Amino acid sequence: MEKYSAIRQSAYACNMQLPHLGLVLFTFGNASVADHAEGVFAIKPSGVAYADLTPEKMVVVDFDGSVVAGDLRPSSDTKTHAVLYKHWPAIGGIVHTHSTYATAWAQSQRDIPIYGTTHADHLTADIPCAPPMADGQIAGNYEYETGFQIINHFEQQQLDYREVEMILVGNHAPFTWGATGEKAVYNSAVLEYVAKMAALTEQINPRAPRLKDSLIKKHYERKHGPDSYYGQS
Amino acid sequence: MEKYSAIRQSAYACNMQLPHLGLVLFTFGNASVADHAEGVFAIKPSGVAYADLTPEKMVVVDFDGSVVAGDLRPSSDTKTHAVLYKHWPAIGGIVHTHSTYATAWAQSQRDIPIYGTTHADHLTADIPCAPPMADGQIAGNYEYETGFQIINHFEQQQLDYREVEMILVGNHAPFTWGATGEKAVYNSAVLEYVAKMAALTEQINPRAPRLKDSLIKKHYERKHGPDSYYGQS
Amino acid sequence: MEKYSAIRQSAYACNMQLPHLGLVLFTFGNASVADHAEGVFAIKPSGVAYADLTPEKMVVVDFDGSVVAGDLRPSSDTKTHAVLYKHWPAIGGIVHTHSTYATAWAQSQRDIPIYGTTHADHLTADIPCAPPMADGQIAGNYEYETGFQIINHFEQQQLDYREVEMILVGNHAPFTWGATGEKAVYNSAVLEYVAKMAALTEQINPRAPRLKDSLIKKHYERKHGPDSYYGQS
Amino acid sequence: MEKYSAIRQSAYACNMQLPHLGLVLFTFGNASVADHAEGVFAIKPSGVAYADLTPEKMVVVDFDGSVVAGDLRPSSDTKTHAVLYKHWPAIGGIVHTHSTYATAWAQSQRDIPIYGTTHADHLTADIPCAPPMADGQIAGNYEYETGFQIINHFEQQQLDYREVEMILVGNHAPFTWGATGEKAVYNSAVLEYVAKMAALTEQINPRAPRLKDSLIKKHYERKHGPDSYYGQS
């Protein structure tokens, strides 16, 4: 059994979910799955069509972004993944897409307001949009700096990455994560769904109010609180 | 033959229609079917993927929301279903989804105006949107209170649940019902279709008038009146 | 060989195209095909799901709307079809749907402006929207009057039904027609496509100008003029 | 082996991608592939349904628009393709569609602003919209003049056709091209995707700013610069 076969298999399965869920056109996205004990993650190779992927083609990279195993060049967004895994030890998977509605919000440079319980079932805050980076960051180690832009924005906004598992990078596109690759993929689809409904909500009622605090709290605790009663666990 | 196999089979079939009709992402919805003679209904288990459902996994619950048969925990919305079945004896099925356009209207906290005959073929009123609940209701027995919020709104608005078989719960999402589970599923798809066309209508003409009374009456009677001439019955 | 088998087969094929082209939900639409020599047309039975249709189930009706052959009740819109066939001898097929964007324009009570060559390839006028009928017409023989509402609107607007093969009935939905049933189905899909692009055009540029006359003329003649050079005929 | 079989096979494959990618309704589009050494290109026959195409039905035409081989009449847009191949020697494939969002922008007579990195990954300029042609051009050799309208607009805007591989023709629809037919098809899908996200961006934030220059430069060089690090080449 090859040493990295578990994360390669998992990263492959996560990547293949992205076109299936309608979240990517061509190669506009990538998923990765980490093994924190080994300090590595498996990620999609750069520019390879989803139809041509296999588990073996997943590239294994360490948390500084250096390739550890694999014949192909990893996703051009690899360093962003590496920074997040290095600083946020509780996440096991990351997904980056250019899904239509979430990307439109990122291009609009707006947080997605929490308008309903679909949103509150997953997080209690507006979905944050980090501002575009400073020119110096962009000209430098761009993807590396993208990772820090995300982490810094969470610190400034006093958000906890274990509670808010998604962000829009201004002018760019969304990143989502989770305890597993599967959860990161799930969050990516939820984000796109919530982003579409929020845009429609503002079209139907430009003065729609945010969800009130008591409902935010109730729906989130229903799924995530100590007395949660959603699901079978 | 297991005692509840008929309602379990029917609830299973209704739940499986929801992803087929494009009304749910992941597990964002549930359908139930009642047996009023036995005082019970069968409902989707909580958080189980549609692909993993079987008729046997449907949970049988009484009209107070207590589990009567089944190994799994029932949908977290079970008490809302129970309240509606208990108070509205003519309904045999209930569907709850977070379908995109209907939910956007719920988040907008607006009734859906009756703009055309597609709407009038199914009901003669605007599709009602119940206001979000008071904080006390939310903090208490939330899903139970959601059922009463629906029933109270119908009473206040002098609507008849046998004529208006759908509602939006403000900031949350739609519920639909009908004499059978199949009719509740049908109403769920009709609501989403009407909700989409109403949003487009307002985009194309922000001053679009409501349908005039004579057309409302005509289309509804064509399908539902004593001299109805739609369908084969 | 049954006397009406040709039009029944053709009407069946046309009806089955409607869900395939995404133009109908459930039974929200119907297609018919006429035999002018016999003075009859075959039309979808009322309220029967598309999946349950067969050529034999098509109902044969004369141009006054009386059933000539068939065991089922014909579409509730049958008299509208009958009026059009009786007064417009050059049409061999009619389609009625509640397709999303075309119906939203009908609900908006607006003609669809001619914004581009996609529209001009098919007709040189704005797509007309007939006003809702007077209350007397509605209370009377409604579907019969719907046919006259269409014919009268064409006369008032000095439109030729052989050049403009589609109309929106205000607050209701579209009707299309053509020399054959196949052409009527084609026009129904073209209308929905043009209706969607016109709504998007106004969203992107609320002051978008109508197509200029020279382009309208050129594109239409390319396909329909005496020196047409589109297609293989 | 037939002399033109390579470009016919390639043009066939490119045309068949268009309905698969959701870019065409019925026959609203065409793709061609050129052989510059022979001074010819293979293009879709006019008005033939995609389902009925075969490689052998592709029509071979020279760069003045005269048919060289093939039994069918070529696409009515053939002279536009011919003009582009004659004047832009580096392009090997051209695609024309009436895809929904790109065409809506063309009807709006607006350039598509560069709002995000999805756009910048492919070109550094706004996607240009050429104005509608003068009446004299339209009445004359229309499709021939369409080609010159495109070329002249690029000259006036000082755009390089090897860097900007797409254009909207005002009131009409998009054309895309590339070194190969496959690249032209790819660009056609990218354009539609970017056009949709730009329309949504303006809906969500009517004051959304264009992407800043440093990000435009970075994303484009990531894929296209001398030190590009996207993909496997």
Side-chain angles (χ1 to χ4, degrees), chain A residues 55-128:
Chain A
E56 294 72 31
K57 286 184 182 165
M58 297 296 121
V59 187
V60 181
V61 182
D62 68 24
F63 290 174
D64 292 315
S66 301
V67 173
V68 170
D71 300 325
L72 297 167
R73 188 188 289 187
S75 164
S76 56
D77 299 296
T78 294
K79 284 183 184 165
T80 308
H81 292 240
V83 168
L84 298 182
Y85 284 127
K86 189 164 188 173
H87 291 79
W88 288 350
I91 63 177
I94 297 171
V95 168
H96 171 54
T97 77
H98 289 228
S99 70
T100 317
Y101 282 86
T103 303
W105 280 93
Q107 294 189 159
S108 301
Q109 300 188 20
R110 289 185 57 198
D111 296 347
I112 303 179
I114 182 166
Y115 282 129
T117 60
T118 323
H119 185 139
D121 280 338
H122 298 93
L123 70 164
T124 60
D126 293 351
I127 296 169

Side-chain angles (χ1 to χ4, degrees), chain C residues 23-145:
Chain C
L23 299 172
V24 297
L25 174 71
F26 298 128
T27 60
F28 298 7
N30 46 73
S32 69
V33 172
D35 179 340
H36 279 276
E38 295 286 337
V40 298
F41 61 99
I43 191 166
K44 183 176 174 296
S46 182
V48 176
Y50 287 94
D52 297 332
L53 290 184
T54 61
E56 295 70 33
K57 287 184 182 165
M58 297 296 121
V59 187
V60 181
V61 181
D62 68 25
F63 291 174
D64 293 314
S66 301
V67 172
V68 171
D71 300 326
L72 297 167
R73 188 187 291 186
S75 163
S76 56
D77 298 296
T78 295
K79 283 183 185 165
T80 308
H81 292 240
V83 168
L84 297 183
Y85 284 127
K86 189 165 189 173
H87 291 81
W88 289 350
I91 61 177
I94 297 172
V95 168
H96 171 55
T97 77
H98 289 228
S99 69
T100 318
Y101 281 87
T103 303
W105 280 92
Q107 293 189 160
S108 301
Q109 300 188 22
R110 288 185 57 199
D111 297 346
I112 304 179
I114 182 167
Y115 281 129
T117 60
T118 323
H119 185 141
D121 280 339
H122 298 94
L123 70 164
T124 61
D126 292 352
I127 296 169
C129 181
M133 285 182 278
D135 288 356
Q137 291 177 292
I138 293 166
N141 196 335
Y142 175 56
E143 291 78 13
Y144 189 74
E145 296 288 353

Side-chain angles (χ1 to χ4, degrees), chain B residues 137-187:
Chain B
Q137 291 177 292
I138 293 167
N141 197 337
Y142 176 56
E143 291 78 14
Y144 190 73
E145 295 289 352
T146 299
F148 282 107
Q149 184 77 353
I150 292 171
I151 287 171
N152 291 341
H153 192 68
F154 263 61
E155 283 182 7
Q156 285 161 20
Q157 303 293 314
Q158 299 185 295
L159 297 170
D160 184 332
Y161 77 89
R162 286 159 300 195
E163 290 179 4
V164 174
E165 298 182 324
M166 54 189 70
I167 195 169
L168 309 173
V169 176
N171 278 147
H172 185 162
F175 285 82
T176 63
W177 52 84
T180 62
E182 197 173 61
K183 183 70 191 307
V185 171
Y186 173 87
N187 284 335

Side-chain angles (χ1 to χ4, degrees), chain D:
Chain D
M1 197 63 170
E2 191 260 320
K3 187 175 179 181
Y4 304 118
S5 67
I7 55 173
R8 275 179 155 153
Q9 182 62 49
S10 177
Y12 167 74
C14 288
N15 275 293
M16 294 309 284
Q17 280 293 304
L18 302 183
H20 179 70
L21 288 163
L23 300 172
V24 297
L25 173 71
F26 297 128
T27 61
F28 299 7
N30 46 73
S32 70
V33 172
D35 178 339
H36 279 275
E38 294 286 336
V40 298
F41 62 99
I43 192 166
K44 184 176 173 295
S46 181
V48 175
Y50 286 94
D52 297 333
L53 290 184
T54 61
E56 295 71 33
K57 286 183 181 165
M58 298 295 122
V59 188
V60 181
V61 182
D62 68 23
F63 289 175
D64 292 317
S66 301
V67 172
V68 170
D71 300 326
L72 297 167
R73 188 188 290 186
S75 163
S76 56
D77 298 296
T78 295
K79 283 183 185 166
T80 308
H81 291 240
V83 168
L84 297 183
Y85 284 127
K86 189 164 187 173
H87 291 80
W88 289 349
I91 62 177
I94 297 171
V95 168
H96 171 54
T97 77
H98 289 230
S99 69
T100 317
Y101 282 86
T103 302
W105 280 93
Q107 293 189 160
S108 302
Q109 300 188 21
R110 288 185 57 199
D111 297 347
I112 303 178
I114 182 166
Y115 281 128
T117 60
T118 323
H119 185 140
D121 280 339
H122 298 93
L123 70 164
T124 61
D126 292 352
I127 296 169
C129 181
M133 284 181 278
D135 288 356
Q137 291 175 292
I138 293 167
N141 195 337
Y142 175 56
E143 291 79 12
Y144 189 75
E145 295 289 352
T146 300
F148 283 107
Q149 186 76 355
I150 292 170
I151 287 172
N152 291 341
H153 192 69
F154 264 61
E155 284 182 6
Q156 286 162 19
Q157 303 294 314
Q158 298 185 294
L159 297 170
D160 184 332
Y161 77 90
R162 287 160 299 196
E163 292 179 3
V164 175
E165 298 182 325
M166 54 188 70
I167 194 169
L168 310 173
V169 177
N171 277 148
H172 185 163
F175 284 83
T176 63
W177 51 84
T180 63
E182 197 173 60
K183 183 70 191 305
V185 170
Y186 173 88
N187 285 334
S188 196
V190 167
L191 168 55
E192 179 65 9
Y193 199 79
V194 167
K196 180 174 184 177
M197 294 204 304
L200 292 172
T201 299
E202 296 191 349
Q203 181 191 319
I204 293 168
N205 183 359
R207 291 184 303 275
R210 287 176 83 252
L211 193 62
K212 59 185 193 171
D213 286 342
S214 55
L215 265 172
I216 293 176
K217 194 160 165 278
K218 184 69 186 187
H219 265 263
Y220 194 74
E221 289 183 348
R222 220 165 79 131
K223 271 202 169 173
H224 300 279
D227 303 318
S228 74
Y229 49 99
Y230 181 87
Q232 301 299 332
S233 59

